Amino acid sequence: MSIHDFKESNFIPGNGGLDRKVSTRPATSLSCAKRKCFKMLDESPEPGWLSEEVKTGTTIIAIEFDGGVVLGSDSRVSAGETVVNRVMNKLSLLHDKIYCALSGSAADAQTIAEMVNYQLDVHSIEVGEDPQVRSAATLVKNISYKYKEELSAHLIVAGWDKRGGGQVYVTLNGLLSRQPFAVGGSGSSYVYGFVDAEYRKAMSKEDCQQFVVNTLSLAMSRDGSSGGVAYLVTIDKKGAEEKCILGNELPTFYDQ
Amino acid sequence: MAAYMSASRLEHAFSTNDFVPEWAQEEVSTGTTIMAVEFNGGVVIGADSRTTTGAYIANRVTDKLTPIHDHIFCCRSGSAADTQAVADAVTYQLGFHSIELDEPPLVETAANLFKQMCYRYREELMAGIIVAGWDKRKGGQVYTVPMGGMIVRQPVSVGGSGSSYIYGFMDSNYKPGMTKEECLHFCTQALALAMERDGSSGGVARLAAITEEGLERRVVLGNQLPKFSNA
């Protein structure tokens, strides 16, 4: 596993998402030289999004209910101010009944998810049964913690297993913590108040789904880095059910 | 200047001065949560009560709701010194203007005075202000003058570092046409939620309702704030 170095990072702690980091990775050496050479001759520089880091500035949420979990995410991927993908599904499969929600740097998050997917497959063959959600979360945590200086991605791991039922784990910065629900990404800051106020223990599956959709809709309307469509995944004993809710079908709230 | 309202620390060149404790070198900031809501007949304003210098809470019972005139208040967020200075200047200007006019000043006038000062000195100031009040012409009004010096009238406005966390709650729970009591309840809940999540907001929740009759102030102590069940 080779992880490349970061040159600089302005990580502002205390924010819901690591997406506030303002680091721009240098573009490939060829385009750097080209930019310097033609600086005085060329009036139109290359587009900003070629040299900006690609992030899933995002909103992600996962919530437990009795018998499973519901995960939700928006679908916007930005490079600087450009939206490079407006329909990306940030709910990534780790195993049949274990999913993770990606946020932060798109490359880092996807790579972690792929690595853990592989490790989990090997692990589940070794033990001969479906892996536990806690195992998946621990694998994600191990990578996040070991490479915490180089990586900037936050994954929320959620799923169902027969031993613990529905579980949601947070792996921010390399910690591992189980929570009844979790929000993450840059858009999560705006909905902390809403989820604190609206969450109740022992909600039904449909209530959880509505809660997730409402939260995503509110965050997407306030956060510039979140938007597009809402993806929902409901995991229970029977399996995982994916759903996509288009932008115009999302609930609307009072708009000034 | 920083574009975000949080408890920022301006570090000076001599930041390794050992003669003075670290918190005395930090700028005093009202990293805060402030909000204002219009209703038919007046406005309700609210704020938390914490002033910080770095990690030290310099004042845990601050009053960030400052009277500018009989029926006009402002909610202050950002640097404590800057907002106090601007508020004092505007109070003077508005008082003078009101005497010249020989009638109570308009909320819009007060808000524009804030805007002029905040815009002219935008590079030097770190002040986010919400101006709210009642006047005879337009009733209850809320004007927000965030950092940078723009002005916009809004039925409901939140500000300060803690405001980020309650945008979702505000969007989902605000309804036009609320009564004064409903507005007070809405503000109390929103402030409680923000104070719970934002390290720079806390203490007690100060509320005020401004109507034609006058002013009604309330304090909700820490242990009386609504509690929410969460993770």
Side-chain angles (χ1 to χ4, degrees):
Chain A
M1 266 177 328
S2 66
I3 311 283
H4 46 266
D5 293 317
F6 266 33
K7 287 284 171 353
E8 70 236 17
S9 59
N10 283 340
F11 177 53
I12 304 176
N15 256 328
L18 292 98
D19 317 293
R20 294 291 172 85
K21 191 167 78 75
V22 185
S23 130
T24 46
R25 280 183 222 196
T28 61
S29 53
L30 183 59
S31 36
C32 258
K34 206 162 76 160
R35 256 212 317 272
K36 277 186 206 149
C37 283
F38 289 108
K39 201 169 173 175
M40 286 194 278
L41 306 171
D42 198 344
E43 291 306 275
S44 55
E46 61 177 20
W49 52 263
L50 273 180
S51 50
E52 294 281 344
E53 180 179 345
V54 174
K55 297 165 173 271
T56 50
T58 188
T59 310
I60 51 175
I61 174 171
I63 178 167
E64 294 174 2
F65 62 89
D66 183 23
V69 292
V70 178
L71 288 105
S73 83
D74 73 306
S75 69
R76 180 172 290 185
V77 181
S78 51
E81 287 128 15
T82 319
V83 175
V84 294
N85 186 346
R86 59 189 166 110
V87 287
M88 169 161 174
N89 191 342
K90 300 175 191 178
L91 303 176
S92 193
L93 181 133
L94 295 179
H95 209 259
D96 300 338
K97 300 199 187 78
I98 308 176
Y99 273 67
C100 71
L102 315 173
S103 76
S105 154
D108 291 348
Q110 284 183 336
T111 310
I112 298 175
E114 278 170 21
M115 292 195 309
V116 172
N117 184 352
Y118 164 75
Q119 291 170 355
L120 215 60
D121 279 346
V122 171
H123 169 73
S124 80
I125 289 171
E126 282 176 347
V127 296
E129 59 177 28
D130 280 344
Q132 294 184 51
V133 186
R134 196 183 176 88
S135 314
T138 306
L139 289 169
V140 174
K141 179 264 292 179
N142 287 343
I143 301 172
S144 301
Y145 181 69
K146 186 165 181 197
Y147 299 102
K148 71 187 293 191
E149 301 306 320
E150 291 97 337
L151 295 174
S152 111
H154 169 34
L155 275 67
I156 298 180
V157 180
W160 181 92
D161 64 42
K162 62 174 188 273
R163 226 177 279 200
Q167 298 149 72
V168 170
Y169 289 90
V170 176
T171 65
L172 178 63
N173 271 340
L175 69 73
L176 178 65
S177 168
R178 181 180 171 182
Q179 294 178 189
F181 74 89
V183 293
S186 57
S188 67
S189 313
Y190 303 105
V191 289
Y192 271 114
F194 175 77
V195 299
D196 283 344
E198 296 297 317
Y199 174 75
R200 293 171 317 279
K201 285 202 265 267
M203 291 202 281
S204 70
K205 179 169 96 164
E206 287 71 26
D207 283 345
C208 284
Q209 286 171 327
Q210 192 58 46
F211 177 77
V212 165
V213 166
N214 287 343
T215 310
L216 287 172
S217 175
L218 286 164
M220 281 154 67
S221 72
R222 282 289 180 181
D223 180 28
S225 313
S226 302
V229 306
Y231 286 104
L232 237 71
V233 167
T234 311
I235 310 175
D236 57 17
K237 167 161 100 174
K238 295 193 282 282
E241 178 202 329
E242 298 194 10
K243 196 160 169 231
C244 171
I245 302 177
L246 299 182
N248 60 337
E249 292 162 1
L250 284 170
T252 50
F253 297 87
Y254 178 74
D255 249 324
Q256 316 191 34
Chain B
M1 283 306 281
Y4 57 95
M5 292 184 222
S6 61
S8 93
R9 302 168 355 178
L10 299 179
E11 276 135 31
H12 306 279
F14 42 88
S15 59
T16 51
N17 189 343
D18 289 329
F19 303 118
V20 184
E22 206 178 283
W23 54 261
Q25 297 167 35
E26 310 280 352
E27 169 158 345
V28 176
S29 174
T30 48
T32 187
T33 312
I34 51 175
M35 68 184 294
V37 190
E38 284 176 18
F39 64 91
N40 187 5
V43 294
V44 167
I45 56 177
D48 73 305
S49 71
R50 183 173 286 187
T51 308
T52 53
T53 39
Y56 175 67
I57 300 174
N59 186 349
R60 61 188 169 117
V61 286
T62 325
D63 186 8
K64 303 179 190 178
L65 308 174
T66 311
I68 305 294
H69 207 263
D70 297 340
H71 287 87
I72 308 178
F73 265 64
C74 79
C75 312
R76 303 181 287 113
S77 78
S79 153
D82 288 347
T83 54
Q84 284 176 358
V86 172
D88 287 346
V90 172
T91 307
Y92 163 76
Q93 292 171 344
L94 202 65
F96 194 82
H97 169 74
S98 160
I99 287 170
E100 284 184 322
L101 236 57
D102 198 23
E103 63 176 41
L106 299 176
V107 186
E108 190 171 355
T109 311
N112 274 290
L113 286 171
F114 270 107
K115 178 213 70 183
Q116 281 185 344
M117 193 159 294
C118 292
Y119 179 70
R120 172 172 292 204
Y121 300 108
R122 60 185 296 177
E123 301 304 324
E124 289 92 344
L125 290 175
M126 190 173 89
I129 311 230
I130 300 180
V131 184
W134 180 93
D135 65 33
K136 212 168 53 177
R137 209 183 278 189
K138 294 188 186 166
Q141 300 147 71
V142 170
Y143 294 88
T144 180
V145 182
M147 276 193 259
M150 83 144 178
I151 179 173
V152 70
R153 180 181 174 185
Q154 292 178 313
V156 56
S157 184
V158 293
S161 56
S163 67
S164 319
Y165 305 107
I166 49 174
Y167 275 113
F169 177 79
M170 179 182 88
D171 286 340
S172 61
N173 281 58
Y174 172 73
K175 288 156 200 40
M178 293 199 284
T179 65
K180 182 175 90 166
E181 283 307 318
E182 286 171 340
C183 286
L184 282 161
H185 182 62
F186 170 65
C187 280
T188 315
Q189 284 195 308
L191 288 171
L193 288 164
M195 282 154 67
E196 175 116 357
R197 285 286 178 182
D198 181 28
S200 313
S201 302
V204 305
R206 291 198 190 275
L207 298 152
I210 309 167
T211 57
E212 178 174 11
E213 283 83 57
L215 174 69
E216 182 202 324
R217 295 202 73 145
R218 266 188 223 184
V219 178
V220 182
L221 298 181
N223 59 341
Q224 297 163 351
L225 284 169
K227 289 188 194 14
F228 300 91
S229 89
N230 50 36

